[in-house]
């Protein structure tokens, strides 16, 4: 009925009505997404096992990353360690003591203690006792080693020309970079290969912005919230965005993020192939920070941020976070 009505109208009116209808549909769709996000994300609390576990994974990963920093700061992140303990206690009390992701959190706590012991640093006694309590809750369960991986550059890149399984298993986030410059040709060649990424109707929404000036990088990384302790060592940064203008109507509202995410993953692989050490940095911005970042990166209003890649040449040796994955079941 709506379609037929639009068709019998004179062209300018038809256009106007179509625009109004599309705008209305987009708004309705975004409200639908908003409702789903509000109801099912952890925005209003970690009130299910899944949500609490994801929160634990997030906080233990912060500690895990801290242990891999080029120069870890003794006594780092104690508040976060208390948080891990609190959430683990809640999880073990409410759910189970067998989930390997939550047990990995305990392994990270253990490694945090060992790291400070090795460096003769006396941690707050209350913190040590708290970790002891959590370990006590799972004393009859086997806990894997939480020590991060120390790897040489040669070892890290040894599979870059191997079959895909070995290649893909060998890529990890690297948060330590040497002082050497990345030849720009390697960045360009990585981007060229990543352009093979498929996209919806081949509209190729991904855009790549490379920053090489220390001053620009410092400003951008200064606003990003996940690069403390290593971002300053990056030789170049790459900002991946996606152009909204190639999409239309409500049903394509998330397509830029899907196509952009696929491009990002491909770029991570091509950079790895070219032996560049990389760490993805989130662009999970509030609207205020989005505006600031847009300004600093000189990103067009029509583009949305996908992620930032901190890139550098690999040092002779680097520490890499374990970041264990789920198996086929959780
Ligand atoms: C979209 C995205 C955002 C990320 N943001 C950050 C970040 O801000 N800081 C950081 O140190 N790592 C960040 N990471 C890296 C993840 O922590 C890392 O990829 C994950 O733990 C898996 O480890 P792997 O890359 O070593 O396989 C991000 C990764 C992705 C995919």
């Amino acid at each position: 009925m709506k379609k037929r009505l639009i068709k019998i109208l004179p062209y300018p009116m038809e256009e106007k009505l179509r625009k109004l209808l599309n705008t209305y549909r987009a708004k309705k769709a975004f409200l639908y997404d908003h409702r789903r996000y509000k109801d099912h994300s952890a925005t209003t609390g970690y009130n299910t096992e899944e949500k609490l576990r994801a929160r634990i994974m997030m906080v233990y990963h912060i500690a895990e990353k801290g242990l891999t920093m080029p120069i870890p700061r003794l006594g780092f992140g104690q508040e976060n360690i208390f948080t891990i303990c609190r959430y683990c206690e809640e999880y073990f009390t409410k759910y189970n003591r067998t989930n390997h992701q939550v047990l990995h959190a305990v392994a990270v706590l253990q490694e945090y203690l060992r790291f400070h012991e090795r460096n003769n640093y006396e941690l707050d006694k209350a913190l040590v006792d708290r970790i002891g309590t959590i370990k006590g809750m799972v004393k009859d369960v086997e806990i894997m080693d939480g020590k991060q991986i120390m790897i040489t550059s040669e070892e890290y890149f040894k599979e870059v020309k191997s079959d895909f399984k070995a290649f893909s298993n060998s890529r990890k986030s690297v948060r330590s970079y040497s002082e050497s410059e990345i030849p720009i040709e390697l960045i360009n060649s990585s981007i060229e290969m990543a352009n093979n990424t498929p996209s919806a109707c081949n509209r190729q929404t991904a855009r790549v912005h490379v920053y090489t000036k220390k001053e620009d990088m410092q400003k951008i990384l200064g606003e990003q919230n996940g690069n403390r302790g290593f971002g300053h060592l990056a030789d170049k940064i790459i900002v991946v965005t996606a152009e909204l203008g190639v999409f239309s109507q409500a049903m394509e509202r998330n397509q830029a993020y899907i196509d952009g995410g696929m491009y990002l993953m491909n770029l991570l692989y091509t950079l790895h192939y070219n032996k560049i050490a990389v760490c993805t940095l989130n662009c999970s911005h509030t609207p205020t920070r989005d505006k600031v970042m847009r300004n600093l990166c000189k990103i067009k209003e029509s583009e949305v941020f996908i992620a930032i890649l901190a890139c550098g040449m690999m040092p002779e040796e680097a520490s890499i976070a374990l970041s264990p994955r789920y198996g086929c079941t959780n």
Side-chain angles (χ1 to χ4, degrees), residues 61 64-65 69 171-175 224-227 230 264 268 279-283 306-307 320-323 325:
H61 188 56
E64 200 179 38
K65 282 190 317 191
M69 284 301 110
R171 187 217 53 82
K172 304 271 177 242
S173 293
V174 181
R175 299 181 177 86
Q224 197 278 340
N225 64 5
N227 71 90
F230 68 97
L264 178 77
L268 283 176
C279 182
T280 312
L281 303 174
N282 77 78
C283 286
I306 303 297
I320 284 174
L322 280 171
S323 312
R325 303 301 207 266

Side-chain angles (χ1 to χ4, degrees), residues 58-259:
M58 186 175 169
V59 288
Y60 85 55
H61 188 56
I62 294 173
E64 200 179 38
K65 282 190 317 191
L67 291 165
T68 69
M69 284 301 110
I71 308 169
R73 190 172 47 83
L74 291 170
F76 74 89
Q78 298 199 36
E79 211 175 297
N80 186 48
I81 298 291
F82 272 117
T83 307
I84 302 175
C85 293
R86 179 160 53 85
Y87 286 134
C88 281
E89 184 168 13
E90 185 181 342
Y91 188 92
F92 293 141
T93 311
K94 277 193 186 160
Y95 303 112
N96 61 68
R97 295 177 303 127
T98 52
N99 184 276
H100 79 272
Q101 285 295 339
V102 185
L103 291 176
H104 183 67
V106 182
V108 172
L109 292 176
Q110 235 162 235
E111 184 50 30
Y112 182 86
L113 283 184
R114 283 196 202 120
F115 168 79
H116 286 95
E117 272 162 25
R118 281 198 296 275
N119 287 285
N120 298 317
Y121 182 88
E122 203 169 320
L123 287 165
D124 182 355
K125 185 172 176 320
L127 185 68
V128 178
D129 291 348
R130 191 84 174 97
I131 296 176
T133 309
I134 301 304
K135 276 166 61 183
M137 290 181 89
V138 285
K139 62 175 182 301
D140 47 346
V141 185
E142 193 190 353
I143 310 267
M144 295 296 177
D145 192 0
K147 195 164 187 327
Q148 312 308 310
I149 309 159
M150 192 53 114
I151 194 166
T152 63
S153 168
E154 199 184 339
E155 187 69 13
Y156 179 64
F157 289 121
K158 85 172 193 295
E159 305 291 358
V160 296
K161 301 277 151 64
S162 303
D163 64 66
F164 186 72
K165 190 174 178 186
F167 169 75
S168 137
N169 277 335
S170 73
R171 187 217 53 82
K172 304 271 177 242
S173 293
V174 181
R175 299 181 177 86
S176 187
Y177 315 106
S178 77
E179 284 181 2
S180 312
E181 242 181 67
I182 309 169
I184 194 71
E185 301 76 45
L186 286 186
I187 299 278
N188 291 339
S189 133
S190 307
I191 294 170
E192 206 177 306
M193 281 191 279
N195 288 345
N196 289 329
T197 309
S199 59
C201 298
N202 200 29
R203 279 171 289 176
Q204 303 169 56
T205 175
R207 302 288 179 266
V208 183
H209 309 265
V210 181
Y211 302 83
T212 58
K213 284 194 195 138
K214 277 270 167 241
E215 202 187 311
D216 295 343
M217 292 196 290
Q218 258 172 18
K219 282 186 193 153
I220 296 169
L221 293 178
E223 282 298 324
Q224 197 278 340
N225 64 5
N227 71 90
R228 207 165 48 181
F230 68 97
H232 62 287
L233 300 174
D235 172 54
K236 296 187 174 47
I237 61 171
I238 303 177
V239 176
V240 177
T241 62
E243 167 62 47
L244 290 177
V246 311
F247 300 111
S248 59
Q249 306 202 11
M251 63 219 173
E252 289 198 304
R253 66 196 176 279
N254 295 319
Q255 201 61 49
Y257 298 101
I258 296 163
D259 291 14

Side-chain angles (χ1 to χ4, degrees), residues 272-290:
H272 186 52
Y273 178 81
N274 278 328
K275 300 192 178 179
I276 297 172
V278 184
C279 182
T280 312
L281 303 174
N282 77 78
C283 286
S284 309
H285 304 144
T286 58
T288 307
R289 185 162 291 176
D290 181 78

